[in-house]
C-alpha cells in the first residue's frame, strides 16, 4: 500500500482560510482554527477552548461575554443585535396583520368577564 499526499484532506482555518496542521489545530463549534486565529470579537484576545463563549457565530472571552450581557441584561442588545421586542414592534406595525383566532377569543372572553 502506497501513501499518496494528494489524498490527504487538508483542513482550512475558519478565520484566515489557510491550512491547519495538527500541532496548531483547535476545533470549536464544528469549525477548525489556528490557535492564534480564534480571538475575542470585543478585545481581540486569543482564545482557548476553556475561556471562550460563542453567540451567533461570534466568539468572546468569558469576561467580555459576561460584561456585554450584564450591560443590557439580554443576549441581543449587549452584543449589537436588534432588541427582541423589535420583532414585536414590526408585527404590530403591520395594520393588515390579523390576530390568530385563539388570541381574539381570549380577548373577547376577557372583555365579557369585565363587563359583568
Amino acid at each position: 500500500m502506497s501513501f499518496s499526499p494528494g489524498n490527504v484532506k487538508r483542513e482550512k482555518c475558519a478565520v484566515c482560510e489557510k491550512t491547519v496542521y495538527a500541532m496548531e489545530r483547535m476545533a470549536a463549534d464544528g469549525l477548525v482554527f489556528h490557535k492564534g486565529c480564534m480571538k475575542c470579537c470585543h478585545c481581540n484576545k486569543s482564545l482557548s477552548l476553556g475561556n471562550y463563549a460563542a453567540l451567533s457565530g461570534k466568539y468572546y472571552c468569558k469576561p467580555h461575554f459576561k460584561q456585554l450581557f450584564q450591560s443590557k441584561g439580554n443576549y441581543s442588545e449587549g452584543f449589537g443585535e436588534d432588541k427582541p421586542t423589535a420583532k414585536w414592534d414590526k408585527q404590530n406595525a403591520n395594520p393588515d396583520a390579523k390576530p390568530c383566532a385563539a388570541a381574539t377569543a381570549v380577548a373577547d372572553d376577557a372583555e365579557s368577564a369585565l363587563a359583568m
Side-chain angles (χ1 to χ4, degrees):
M1 182 176 213
S2 66
F3 176 74
S4 174
N7 295 337
V8 177
K9 180 184 173 196
R10 299 191 187 265
E11 294 180 305
K12 301 288 183 180
C13 176
V15 176
C16 70
E17 298 182 0
K18 293 181 181 177
T19 301
V20 179
Y21 297 101
M23 291 298 292
E24 55 189 5
R25 184 181 188 276
M26 185 167 62
D29 295 336
L31 299 173
V32 177
F33 300 92
H34 290 107
K35 289 181 181 177
C37 287
M38 189 174 174
K39 296 185 178 194
C40 175
C41 288
H42 191 75
C43 68
N44 215 27
K45 175 185 171 188
S46 290
L47 300 174
S48 67
L49 294 177
N51 74 346
Y52 85 96
L55 181 68
S56 302
K58 295 181 181 177
Y59 297 94
Y60 300 91
C61 60
K62 288 199 176 179
H64 282 123
F65 188 80
K66 184 177 179 182
Q67 176 187 5
L68 291 169
F69 176 78
Q70 287 178 342
S71 69
K72 296 291 181 177
N74 62 51
Y75 285 111
S76 53
E77 258 187 292
F79 295 93
E81 297 176 8
D82 290 337
K83 294 180 186 180
T85 56
K87 295 174 188 171
W88 304 336
D89 294 339
K90 289 176 187 174
Q91 290 172 353
N92 292 337
N94 185 357
D96 297 332
K98 297 177 183 172
C100 68
T104 305
V106 170
D108 290 343
D109 289 343
E111 285 177 16
S112 64
L114 290 174
M116 290 181 178

